[in-house]
Amino acid sequence: MRPNMVTPPTTTTTTTLPWLLFTLLPPLLLFTKLEAKVPAIIVFGDSTVDAGNNNQVPTLVRSDFAPYGRDFEGGKPTGRFSNGRLVTDFVSEAFGLKPFVPAYLDPGYGIEDLATGVTFASAGSGYDNATAHLTNVIPLWKQLENFKDYKNKLSNHFGITKAEQILQEALYMTSMGTNDIVLNYYLVPERSIQFTIEGYENFLVSIADNFVVELYKLGARKISLAGLPPIGCLPLMRTLFFKSNKGDCREEFNNLARNFNGMLKDLVSKLRKEVKDIKLVFSNTLDKSLQIIKSPHLYGLEHVGEGCCGTGTFEFGFACHDLNKFTCTNATTYAFWDAAHPTETLYRIVADHLIKTSLAEFT
């Protein structure tokens, strides 16, 4: 039996982590602008797309403190796990909307602000309910419930007809899965006892299947389902699973990401045939990311094996604090901000890449 996406979990377990990625060229020179009818960007996922929801949750998985956000407008630590903006922020700007996508739980925003973009994402979450449980973050089923609440608020404010139009023409973006595989499967024993890694990936894909169908039933038509990055190249993974050549990417984990991405891509093909009027795309950043990480000099990067914060090998979250004397002064030559998340520079290039590839279908 496939998992029920909208039912609270009855099992426990798990952990945290995430990312996305990419690379360079002077920030303002190559950002693509679009002419498309997309009235809002609506986001689900983990810390790669959480803009501050975890600030309102009793969890240690947060980044609402310096030096996070030091390159954001006003140097504000918003709760984004980066030095600045995220991929979804840049995508929003490219579609002519706000230059950032606010968090749903941020008390500073009302429904008028959230009508053009909102993220329900929670750092530490994943497809699997158990992944969010250990650190008390927002699981995917609850993100979906928050979306239903948002939908009601939108209808009350704009009227049912206008709200349905916004929701049908909005672009829905997802980014999750790294926490499930890296931490919940490999660093917590329960899932690895229950499943082979291939069985667990199948389990996650079945949740993704149900989730997309649920979104469709709630009005979504334009959906981007993001795959995993090369997780074996995360500085944290290089540190935890180093072999004789310390610092090298762990290709066994990159291969797992490739396999999972292939399964998600197959799911996208299946749903495009089965679900009427859905515009569902698979967003792949893995191959290009590997090219950049393996040849950083071609993109103006100098540091791809460690993050800017602290030693760059294991610090993220509270370990990446403002008093860490090892933190770099200029993050623009770094691929990673901390040991698990990219810099704003890379997020910008990821966004530009997606706009020119998978998201081009919506232009």
Side-chain angles (χ1 to χ4, degrees):
M1 180 180 296
R2 299 196 306 180
N4 185 342
M5 266 304 311
V6 295
T7 302
T10 56
T11 58
T12 58
T13 31
T14 256
T15 323
T16 3
L17 187 100
W19 95 320
L20 248 166
L21 8 90
F22 256 100
T23 201
L24 183 77
L25 281 181
L28 296 175
L29 283 185
L30 48 65
F31 199 63
T32 304
K33 293 288 184 178
L34 297 173
E35 293 184 8
K37 194 175 183 182
V38 172
I41 305 294
I42 300 175
V43 187
F44 300 87
D46 58 26
S47 63
T48 56
V49 287
D50 182 357
N53 284 310
N54 275 22
N55 297 354
Q56 310 304 319
V57 174
T59 179
L60 294 177
V61 185
R62 54 203 308 147
S63 58
D64 53 340
F65 50 87
Y68 286 101
R70 74 179 190 190
D71 297 312
F72 196 81
E73 183 178 353
K76 179 181 178 182
T78 61
R80 289 167 172 81
F81 279 76
S82 184
N83 59 310
R85 291 196 283 168
L86 310 177
V87 164
T88 43
D89 297 320
F90 291 118
V91 170
S92 176
E93 183 180 32
F95 276 100
L97 303 171
K98 288 186 176 70
F100 58 88
V101 178
Y104 182 63
L105 298 182
D106 191 326
Y109 297 100
I111 192 62
E112 301 91 344
D113 305 302
L114 303 178
T116 58
V118 59
T119 177
F120 301 96
S122 177
S125 193
Y127 288 107
D128 190 349
N129 288 329
T131 302
H133 179 81
L134 187 63
T135 50
N136 196 38
V137 297
I138 307 169
L140 189 55
W141 72 265
K142 180 61 176 176
Q143 293 182 35
L144 195 62
E145 290 298 303
N146 287 342
F147 171 67
K148 293 176 184 178
D149 185 56
Y150 166 78
K151 181 179 178 180
N152 289 334
K153 291 178 180 177
L154 210 61
S155 295
N156 291 336
H157 185 78
F158 292 102
I160 294 176
T161 301
K162 178 63 175 178
E164 288 181 349
Q165 181 183 13
I166 292 172
L167 294 173
Q168 286 189 5
E169 295 178 353
L171 171 60
Y172 295 75
M173 299 184 69
T174 73
S175 178
M176 66 193 103
T178 299
N179 292 328
D180 296 311
I181 291 175
V182 171
L183 294 168
N184 197 16
Y185 190 83
Y186 281 101
L187 298 183
V188 177
E190 183 173 331
R191 288 309 192 202
S192 60
I193 292 172
Q194 292 178 307
F195 297 96
T196 63
I197 183 58
E198 184 173 328
Y200 187 55
E201 289 185 328
N202 275 310
F203 173 72
L204 298 177
V205 171
S206 70
I207 297 173
D209 188 342
N210 288 343
F211 177 69
V212 170
V213 172
E214 288 284 345
L215 272 184
Y216 176 85
K217 290 177 180 177
L218 291 168
R221 294 296 180 269
K222 303 173 182 178
I223 306 172
S224 166
L225 195 63
L228 295 179
I231 55 181
C233 294
L234 291 171
L236 184 65
M237 296 299 287
R238 298 177 192 230
T239 300
L240 292 177
F241 297 94
F242 75 89
K243 294 183 179 179
S244 56
N245 296 320
K246 185 175 181 180
D248 287 352
C249 293
R250 301 273 61 83
E251 288 304 321
E252 63 271 30
F253 291 106
N254 288 343
N255 289 334
L256 287 176
R258 288 191 188 93
N259 184 65
F260 184 71
N261 288 354
M263 295 165 71
L264 283 181
K265 192 173 182 180
D266 290 343
L267 172 64
V268 167
S269 297
K270 177 181 82 77
L271 290 175
R272 285 173 69 107
K273 295 175 183 176
E274 295 177 352
V275 182
K276 181 181 179 181
D277 297 330
I278 195 170
K279 287 188 175 182
L280 176 65
V281 299
F282 171 72
S283 291
N284 178 19
T285 63
L286 188 148
D287 294 335
K288 182 63 175 178
S289 299
L290 274 179
Q291 176 187 339
I292 293 164
I293 289 170
K294 292 183 177 180
S295 302
H297 59 285
L298 297 179
Y299 301 90
L301 295 179
E302 298 175 11
H303 307 277
V304 296
E306 69 282 342
C308 168
C309 180
T311 65
T313 57
F314 68 89
E315 298 97 334
F316 67 95
F318 280 111
C320 179
H321 53 78
D322 202 27
L323 299 179
N324 195 318
K325 63 182 180 180
F326 297 107
T327 298
C328 76
T329 57
N330 179 9
T332 61
T333 60
Y334 282 75
F336 296 97
W337 166 247
D338 60 20
H341 306 91
T343 56
E344 180 184 74
T345 300
L346 294 198
Y347 275 133
R348 179 186 289 273
I349 306 306
V350 178
D352 196 64
H353 169 76
L354 295 181
I355 287 162
K356 293 173 179 176
T357 54
S358 60
L359 300 186
E361 181 161 333
F362 306 120
T363 64

